Amino acid sequence: MATTTCPYCENKAHMTPRWGRISKNDDRIQFAASCDYCAGLVVAETGFFTNSLGENSTQLGHVQALIEKHPGINWSWRPRPELHVSFEHAPEHIEQAAVEAHSGRHYGNYMSAILMARTVIEATAKHLEKDKAKGNLFEKIDMLLESGHITKRTAEFAHAIRQIGNDMAHGDISEPVEAIDAEQSLRLMDEVLADAFEYPAIHSDLLETYRERKQQRGQRS
């Protein structure tokens, strides 16, 4: 099944192959397809399969047969859907790093996404704790917890990201990194940023609105 998020209608949709090419030299499939929802045109490519045909082919039937035979293929799709993510209450340098982490996942750079998520956690600790943020990342996360910047549950999330990224940060990259690894790391990173910046800002805005309304009521009475 050739399924992805359509860059045009943004639906999770099946893509129907319209033209394709199979190469025997590098075991690569390339095909053009249309979205079943909006008919938008996309292109997919992969090199991670075994070409059982043993020959080059542009026959659509051959392409469709190989797509069905290898349902677990990780296709590289072009164009990609736009990335919609922001962290408006975080400091600019932290928001930029967090968006870059999501961008890494979006474009299939899973290792980069995980390492950047780890960087975001450390940058958050340094920003909130200033000169007190010393030691390793484990100590910085616990410091955020002790200072009340994050909850105990979020601290556990932050430690999970630290553990996921530790091996890669120290050069242990022999194990393959998959999309789910990056997705989980980014979900945990988002929770940390919500605790550290988003929720306090929302609380402050709501409190300010309440005070203004209370003051207006007092002036009218």
Side-chain angles (χ1 to χ4, degrees), residues 28-46:
R28 186 172 299 276
I29 308 177
Q30 298 168 309
F31 68 90
S34 60
C35 172
D36 285 3
Y37 277 94
C38 71
L41 183 66
V42 295
V43 176
E45 179 180 38
T46 187

Side-chain angles (χ1 to χ4, degrees), residues 55-75:
E55 61 182 18
N56 296 326
S57 178
T58 57
Q59 292 187 35
L60 188 57
H62 288 165
V63 174
Q64 290 174 323
L66 282 174
I67 291 172
E68 293 172 3
K69 185 177 180 180
H70 301 277
I73 286 179
N74 184 23
W75 297 102

Side-chain angles (χ1 to χ4, degrees), residues 15 31-32 81 90 100 122 125 132 154 167 177 210 219:
M15 301 294 168
F31 68 90
E100 186 171 325
E122 186 144 16
K132 295 189 297 181
T154 304
D167 290 343
V177 179
Y210 170 76
Q219 291 173 349

Side-chain angles (χ1 to χ4, degrees), residues 8-211:
Y8 307 106
C9 66
E10 298 191 345
N11 285 305
K12 186 77 171 180
H14 174 259
M15 301 294 168
T16 300
R18 302 299 179 183
W19 177 89
R21 180 175 64 188
I22 302 169
S23 172
K24 71 174 182 178
N25 295 325
D26 55 4
D27 287 341
R28 186 172 299 276
I29 308 177
Q30 298 168 309
F31 68 90
S34 60
C35 172
D36 285 3
Y37 277 94
C38 71
L41 183 66
V42 295
V43 176
E45 179 180 38
T46 187
F48 299 98
F49 85 110
T50 300
N51 183 354
S52 55
L53 289 176
E55 61 182 18
N56 296 326
S57 178
T58 57
Q59 292 187 35
L60 188 57
H62 288 165
V63 174
Q64 290 174 323
L66 282 174
I67 291 172
E68 293 172 3
K69 185 177 180 180
H70 301 277
I73 286 179
N74 184 23
W75 297 102
S76 176
W77 296 93
R78 296 291 186 276
R80 294 181 181 273
E82 289 187 18
L83 179 63
H84 302 290
V85 61
S86 65
F87 302 90
E88 58 179 322
H89 297 298
E92 183 177 355
H93 67 288
I94 293 178
E95 180 183 28
Q96 182 179 357
V99 170
E100 186 171 325
H102 277 277
S103 180
R105 161 65 187 92
H106 188 66
Y107 290 104
N109 301 317
Y110 306 135
M111 193 179 300
S112 297
I114 293 172
L115 288 171
M116 188 54 70
R118 187 180 188 278
T119 298
V120 167
I121 303 305
E122 186 144 16
T124 297
K126 288 183 176 179
H127 176 81
L128 293 175
E129 295 297 339
K130 308 299 181 186
D131 295 335
K132 295 189 297 181
K134 298 179 181 179
N136 57 34
L137 184 55
F138 181 95
E139 295 168 331
K140 290 171 184 170
I141 292 171
D142 283 352
M143 189 175 295
L144 286 174
L145 174 61
E146 292 169 5
S147 299
H149 292 301
I150 60 177
T151 65
K152 182 178 180 181
R153 186 187 70 169
T154 304
E156 292 173 353
F157 291 160
H159 279 305
I161 298 175
R162 176 186 60 80
Q163 291 169 344
I164 293 170
N166 263 355
D167 290 343
M168 285 184 288
H170 294 96
D172 296 327
I173 54 175
S174 58
E175 292 296 322
V177 179
E178 300 179 357
I180 188 63
D181 301 316
E183 290 167 2
Q184 290 176 345
S185 293
L186 293 177
R187 288 180 63 186
L188 299 179
M189 179 194 75
D190 291 351
E191 286 290 333
V192 173
L193 293 178
D195 250 20
F197 302 113
E198 303 299 316
Y199 296 152
I202 292 171
H203 178 268
S204 178
D205 290 344
L206 290 173
L207 189 59
E208 183 63 25
T209 300
Y210 170 76
R211 288 171 177 168

